Amino acid sequence: MAWVGDSRDSEKRAVARFADIRRFPEIDSTNRYLIDEARDGAPEGVVAVADAQTAGRGRLGRTWSAPPGSSLLVSILVRPSIDLARAHLVTMAAGVAACEAVFVVADFAPSLKWPNDLVVGGRKLAGMLSEAEVGDGRLDALVVGIGINVNWDEFPDEIAATATACNVEAGRPVDRDALLHTLLHRFDAQYATLLGADGPAAVLAAYRQRCATLGREVRVEVAHGSFTGTALDVTETGHLLVRVTGDADEVREVSVGDVIHLRS
Ligand code: BTN
């Protein structure tokens, strides 16, 4: 699938909602930057993109590192009129958009691993971390942070067996800026859908279609231990439903945790 000259040329143009793109050669964390901007009253739609982060944030208090220039490191500020309990759906919409963008620009189709990793053949291509600003129990702002491995020469030993990158899967270098613009277009569309009448159902359907976790045997690691089971579905609030191994009647709802795919 060509990037230049095909029907997707329109995706190289700026997206009105996300026209304020702030670029940084180096920053501590694009998420940290946009959370601070949100607290200072920045409007919906500001985008922060960095070539390198010195204190990139990952899920569950982890760090996120990538060699300078190797990755798309982007955060997007939104202020959706949505119940706080449904904020996960915004991240899920971004996960679907990221899968679509990779497919359009790099010609391969990643899957989603719950909650929002992009994976290819069991290897992690991208991770997402959303951080919320909440006031009076209401969602005031959400910063959706996405790190996509785009052009990696080699992986450090710790992640060599579990990570992949767009250039590895595509067999050629992949254009980071094309990926950014396509991601913003696709997220704009998913986000508009989410805020529409049947939005949550539509976004969930798109998410379920791409989610490699559903139907799988999984190990779930939560704060106080782990258990195995079969992943059944995601709820309207983005939680994972897992039938516990050895007890057909017990279905647990997981809101936060890590999932390991065991067998297909
Ligand atoms: C994960 O742990 O899988 C989530 C990683 C999210 C990393 C991205 S990179 C851009 C944005 N800024 C951050 O500090 N983190 C997110």
Side-chain angles (χ1 to χ4, degrees), residues 29-31 53 55-59 64 73-75 117 124 127-129 145-147:
S29 156
T30 53
N31 267 30
Q53 295 183 127
R57 300 176 181 178
R59 287 182 63 240
W64 183 263
L73 307 169
V74 56
S75 299
D117 284 354
K124 182 160 171 166
M128 304 182 56
L129 171 70
I146 308 168

Side-chain angles (χ1 to χ4, degrees), residues 140-202:
D140 180 39
L142 191 72
V143 171
V144 181
I146 308 168
I148 305 179
N149 302 338
V150 181
N151 294 310
W152 283 61
D153 294 331
E154 56 185 356
F155 294 98
D157 289 348
E158 316 87 77
I159 58 167
T162 56
T164 190
C166 292
N167 64 318
V168 173
E169 300 300 328
R172 60 174 169 83
V174 168
D175 184 335
R176 259 191 318 161
D177 230 37
L179 196 55
L180 169 67
H181 286 288
T182 308
L183 172 65
L184 294 177
H185 272 275
R186 297 296 167 130
F187 181 52
D188 183 51
Q190 290 292 335
Y191 185 63
T193 300
L194 177 63
L195 300 183
D198 295 326

Side-chain angles (χ1 to χ4, degrees), residues 247-258:
D247 184 350
D249 291 336
E250 190 184 358
V251 175
R252 288 193 198 165
E253 183 168 334
V254 184
S255 58
V256 180
D258 268 336

Side-chain angles (χ1 to χ4, degrees), residues 4 19 36 53 75 102 108 113 120-121 135 168 172 190 201 236 249:
V4 177
D36 284 356
Q53 295 183 127
S75 299
V102 168
F108 67 92
K113 181 168 83 72
V120 183
V168 173
R172 60 174 169 83
Q190 290 292 335
E236 291 216 335
D249 291 336

Side-chain angles (χ1 to χ4, degrees), residues 15-64:
V15 186
R17 195 196 311 268
F18 301 124
D20 185 354
I21 300 177
R22 303 179 188 176
R23 294 178 183 270
F24 301 89
E26 185 180 284
I27 196 170
D28 53 347
S29 156
T30 53
N31 267 30
R32 192 282 309 153
Y33 170 79
L34 276 192
I35 285 282
D36 284 356
E37 289 296 293
R39 285 183 188 140
D40 288 349
E44 166 161 291
V46 180
V47 176
V49 193
D51 290 329
Q53 295 183 127
T54 54
R57 300 176 181 178
R59 287 182 63 240
L60 307 173
R62 298 177 189 130
T63 55
W64 183 263

